[in-house]
Amino acid sequence: MHRHTALRRSLLILMLPLLASTWSHAAEQKADSGATTVELSADARRAAANDLAIATLYFQADDRNPGALARQVNTAIAAALEQARGYATVKAKSAGTATFPVYGKEGRRIEGWRMRTDIQLESRDLPALTELVGKLQGTLALSGLILQPSPETRKSTADLAATDAIRAFQERAGAIAATLNKPWRIRHLSVAHGGSPRPPFPAARAAAFAAEASPMPVEAGETEIIVTVSGTIELTD
């Protein structure tokens, strides 16, 4: 008698996972039966001020003597960084150095060396940065200037756009449900952010400023932040 009871208990324990899976599948089928789902999306746009400027400048020189070349480049960069320290609202840092061989006409013999070092300036004080860039262009060349929202500005603007996009999604979902005369609920929702910084000034335009040690004429402008909300709603009876 005890053996049969123990056997039945063992079989029941082994079957529990299978029964649970069957009940879960049946419950899902019951929940999905008769439910109509609709996929939709909505987006919102907000303008964010380009309150962060990032400028990249470089010094490049050629010389037959690698040591003399390094001293020349390092002296010019050190002077530029020292000058940048006079602007409290501008962050300056080295941004890389590269050295290349210079070959003769036949392309076989190395006749000299070319060295380039970049520095990067970053600031929310655009007038100060452009003034510094104008002064540094007496010895350095400007390779690019990017204007974009600061991380804090981008986040606060994206949050506002996300609120707008969610409301637009709800309005669109409500309109669809009202047309079909059915109640609705959100089944799935995702939020995606977009928006890119203002393109950097092209090299040709940047070089045009090198002749004058004066602030660059720059208008910061704005960047459009786009938030897209997409998801699935379920229409119920």
Side-chain angles (χ1 to χ4, degrees):
M1 184 69 177
H2 291 292
R3 292 181 181 177
H4 292 297
T5 302
L7 181 60
R8 284 197 297 269
R9 287 179 180 176
S10 300
L11 290 174
L12 182 58
I13 291 172
L14 292 173
M15 292 178 63
L16 278 176
L18 179 61
L19 292 173
S21 175
T22 304
W23 292 334
S24 175
H25 182 66
E28 289 179 1
Q29 286 185 327
K30 183 177 180 180
D32 291 340
S33 62
T36 301
T37 59
V38 180
E39 295 182 1
L40 64 150
S41 64
D43 58 56
R45 301 163 186 262
R46 289 261 185 164
N50 291 326
D51 55 353
L52 179 64
I54 301 174
T56 304
L57 300 97
Y58 68 93
F59 184 85
Q60 180 174 291
D62 295 355
D63 201 295
R64 291 179 178 272
N65 186 318
L69 175 62
R71 286 191 294 272
Q72 180 186 1
V73 174
N74 292 340
T75 298
I77 293 299
L81 292 174
E82 181 62 30
Q83 192 169 6
R85 292 189 186 97
Y87 289 77
T89 58
V90 179
K91 295 179 181 179
K93 65 178 181 179
S94 300
T97 298
T99 304
F100 309 94
V102 178
Y103 293 93
K105 293 182 179 180
E106 296 181 359
R108 296 179 180 178
R109 182 179 178 183
I110 297 177
E111 295 187 350
W113 298 90
R114 176 171 299 140
M115 184 175 179
R116 167 174 168 161
T117 296
D118 293 54
I119 65 171
Q120 189 177 87
L121 307 177
E122 180 178 314
S123 180
R124 298 185 187 182
D125 186 350
L126 187 58
L129 183 137
T130 55
E131 179 182 304
L132 176 58
V133 168
K135 292 180 179 180
L136 292 178
Q137 283 181 309
T139 53
L140 274 62
L142 177 67
S143 61
L145 176 63
I146 297 175
L147 301 168
Q148 63 186 29
S150 63
E152 296 82 3
T153 299
R154 180 179 290 275
K155 181 181 182 304
S156 60
T157 304
D159 289 343
L160 293 173
T163 301
D164 295 340
I166 291 173
R167 288 173 179 169
F169 181 92
Q170 290 176 318
E171 291 176 0
R172 184 168 295 178
I176 293 173
T179 301
L180 298 174
N181 195 27
K182 288 180 175 292
W184 63 280
R185 66 182 182 90
I186 295 176
R187 190 169 184 179
H188 169 75
L189 198 66
S190 64
V191 180
H193 298 75
S196 58
R198 185 170 174 175
F201 286 88
R205 183 177 177 184
F209 294 109
E212 299 182 9
S214 60
M216 294 175 57
V218 176
E219 180 63 39
E222 296 175 329
T223 293
E224 188 177 59
I225 304 297
I226 306 171
V227 175
T228 300
V229 173
S230 57
T232 304
I233 63 170
E234 183 179 297
L235 305 178
T236 57
D237 293 327

